[in-house]
Amino acid sequence: MTLRTSLKRRGAALFAAAAATAAALAATGSADAAPAHAADRLATPKPTIVLVHGAWADASSFAPVASRLQHDGYTVLDAPNPLRGLSADAASVAAFVNHATTGPVVLVGHSYGGAVITNAAAGIPRVKALAYIDAYAPAQGETVAQLTGAKPGSQLAVIDPTTVFDAVQDPSQPQGDPDLYVKRDLFPKAFTSSLSADVGAELAAAQTPIAVGALNEQSGPAAWQTVPSWFFIGTNDQVLPPAEQKAMAARAHGTVVTADADHLSMLEVPSAVTKLIEDAATSTGGAQ
């Protein structure tokens, strides 16, 4: 074999090897391209779910819903709701969202907590959806007390509040602005008649009071005017009449889901409540 022939053969072999390597790299690049593209899609974060409990309750009222959301991959946080005054409570929640979360947020409010998120979300562009669970969605200037009695059906809207509430003056709060507790014998019937008597008694004993001034403080600008909203309405709600909830949802152009449940529907039908929250969350464009 001559030197020229040998070089030709080596050159052909090197060319073939280079071509094979290029083809392999191209194939690898093509194979990697699809997963990378999929990874980009999956990199879109799910929104953080921030839960805000209502009056005469605490964060534990959301426990069955929170566990389901966490199981489905959501970051879930319970925001502080001091129940001292509407503007002050909204400021606490807004500060929590601003400093304890990043990325898109879904604010979820139960009962009085709905009034709180209505005020807290104003001015926070990262709040992409509002979810109202048997909750108040006041317009500017409205109060929780006013909305409770706007339509018939609430066991808390009575002429003589002493028949419904026990008042305790907190010495650290302004005189004449006492804490209100729902009477223990009324609580189970008003809030969650579908649960056992024992559970109702436990909830009545564990209730967190609200300052009377919070129920009578006028709401500020309503976030639901610009933020998409979802409403879960328990049709057996004896605290906030379903007719009033539907009226608030209609003016907010909110998505409405109803179920046979009482005021604490998160404890009675947690799977249905979880689905509504996740529907609100996926509407933000986050990963599912």
Side-chain angles (χ1 to χ4, degrees):
M1 179 185 297
T2 64
L3 178 61
R4 178 176 297 180
T5 302
S6 177
L7 288 176
K8 283 184 177 180
R9 289 184 176 180
R10 287 182 183 180
L14 288 172
F15 179 81
T21 301
L25 288 173
T28 301
S30 298
D32 288 343
H37 184 61
D40 288 342
R41 291 198 305 270
L42 292 174
T44 303
K46 289 186 175 184
T48 298
I49 310 297
V50 177
L51 306 173
V52 181
H53 67 79
W56 306 296
D58 59 25
S60 66
S61 62
F62 271 114
V65 171
S67 65
R68 286 166 169 79
L69 290 168
Q70 290 172 331
H71 177 270
D72 292 343
Y74 288 93
T75 297
V76 182
L77 301 173
D78 288 295
N81 188 5
L83 306 177
R84 300 295 84 192
L86 182 53
S87 58
D89 296 338
S92 293
V93 171
F96 182 83
V97 171
N98 284 326
H99 296 286
T101 72
T102 58
V105 170
V106 174
L107 272 179
V108 183
H110 171 248
S111 192
Y112 168 78
V116 174
I117 68 172
T118 295
N119 287 263
I124 307 180
R126 290 192 296 110
V127 175
K128 301 300 184 182
L130 301 169
Y132 293 89
I133 315 300
D134 305 310
Y136 296 85
Q140 186 167 4
E142 293 179 338
T143 71
V144 168
Q146 172 190 349
L147 291 170
T148 302
K151 296 186 184 300
S154 173
Q155 295 195 34
L156 303 190
V158 294
I159 296 176
D160 182 3
T162 63
T163 64
V164 174
F165 301 110
D166 292 320
V168 177
Q169 179 63 55
D170 185 336
S172 68
Q173 297 301 309
Q175 194 65 30
D177 188 19
D179 286 340
L180 296 182
Y181 294 82
V182 177
K183 288 185 177 296
R184 271 61 174 184
D185 58 347
L186 173 64
F187 190 101
K189 181 180 178 181
F191 282 77
T192 183
S193 62
S194 296
L195 298 180
S196 70
D198 287 344
V199 172
E202 291 171 4
L203 293 171
Q207 62 180 290
T208 304
I210 187 169
V212 66
L215 303 177
N216 292 296
E217 184 177 344
Q218 291 185 347
S219 181
W224 48 256
Q225 292 183 317
T226 55
V227 181
S229 57
W230 278 254
F231 289 76
F232 190 93
I233 301 174
T235 56
N236 193 39
D237 196 328
Q238 302 294 306
V239 174
L240 178 56
E244 182 56 38
Q245 294 184 52
K246 291 176 181 178
M248 291 186 288
R251 71 181 178 185
H253 304 290
T255 300
V256 175
V257 172
T258 63
D260 182 12
D262 297 291
H263 190 61
L264 282 168
S265 59
M266 310 95 69
L267 298 178
E268 294 183 354
V269 287
S271 294
V273 172
T274 300
K275 183 180 185 306
L276 176 126
I277 295 171
E278 293 188 352
D279 286 346
T282 56
S283 76
T284 68
Q288 299 188 30

